[in-house]
Amino acid sequence: QVQLVESGGGLVQAGGSLRLSCAASGRTFSSYHMGWFRQAPGKEREFVAAISRVYVTYYADSVKGRFTISRDNGKNTVLLQMNSLKPQDTAVYYCAAANVLGTRGPNYDYWGQGTQVTVSS
């Protein structure tokens, strides 16, 4: 089992950057595939990015080229660097861990509590 805690959200102007961090507890962090999802008000949760156990990365088309996901297994941390932010990136961002890699929420077994990202125009 793993517990996930996100941090790094906040308010930023369009074109700015934020870095989200997800700290995981437990000794088996390296065995999980990790993902970031987001949910905007009135919208369904959507996939943002994922990184496999062997560091292969996947991105939603809407963030490709602007966001970068990375992981540090020594620090039990997964990061989401977000550049060139747009107002439509405004959402609560969630970190998640999966035993089976995928881009759908049901693939993921453990979730953090979320961190708010607000991008002003």
Side-chain angles (χ1 to χ4, degrees):
Q1 192 166 355
V2 62
Q3 287 79 46
L4 305 172
V5 179
E6 303 96 335
S7 62
L11 173 65
V12 64
Q13 288 189 333
S17 298
L18 281 175
R19 188 176 75 167
L20 303 184
S21 179
C22 175
S25 64
R27 294 175 293 176
T28 58
F29 173 75
S30 61
S31 68
Y32 290 99
H33 307 291
M34 300 299 297
W36 286 95
F37 290 76
R38 66 186 181 187
Q39 187 167 21
K43 295 188 176 181
E44 293 187 352
R45 181 178 59 194
E46 65 174 358
F47 169 76
V48 175
I51 185 166
S52 75
R53 298 186 189 107
V54 293
Y55 299 88
V56 178
T57 57
Y58 305 85
Y59 296 95
D61 288 342
S62 59
V63 306
K64 203 170 293 183
R66 300 188 297 122
F67 290 13
T68 302
I69 188 171
S70 60
R71 67 188 297 166
D72 185 336
N73 288 343
K75 296 181 179 180
N76 282 13
T77 300
V78 60
L79 302 175
L80 186 68
Q81 178 66 44
M82 306 186 296
N83 298 329
S84 302
L85 282 161
K86 305 175 181 180
Q88 53 263 46
D89 294 318
T90 294
V92 177
Y93 283 71
Y94 297 91
C95 173
N99 287 298
V100 177
L101 182 63
T103 61
R104 297 174 61 249
N107 277 109
Y108 289 77
D109 305 288
Y110 304 102
W111 293 81
Q113 82 289 349
T115 185
Q116 176 71 47
V117 171
T118 303
V119 184
S120 63
S121 57

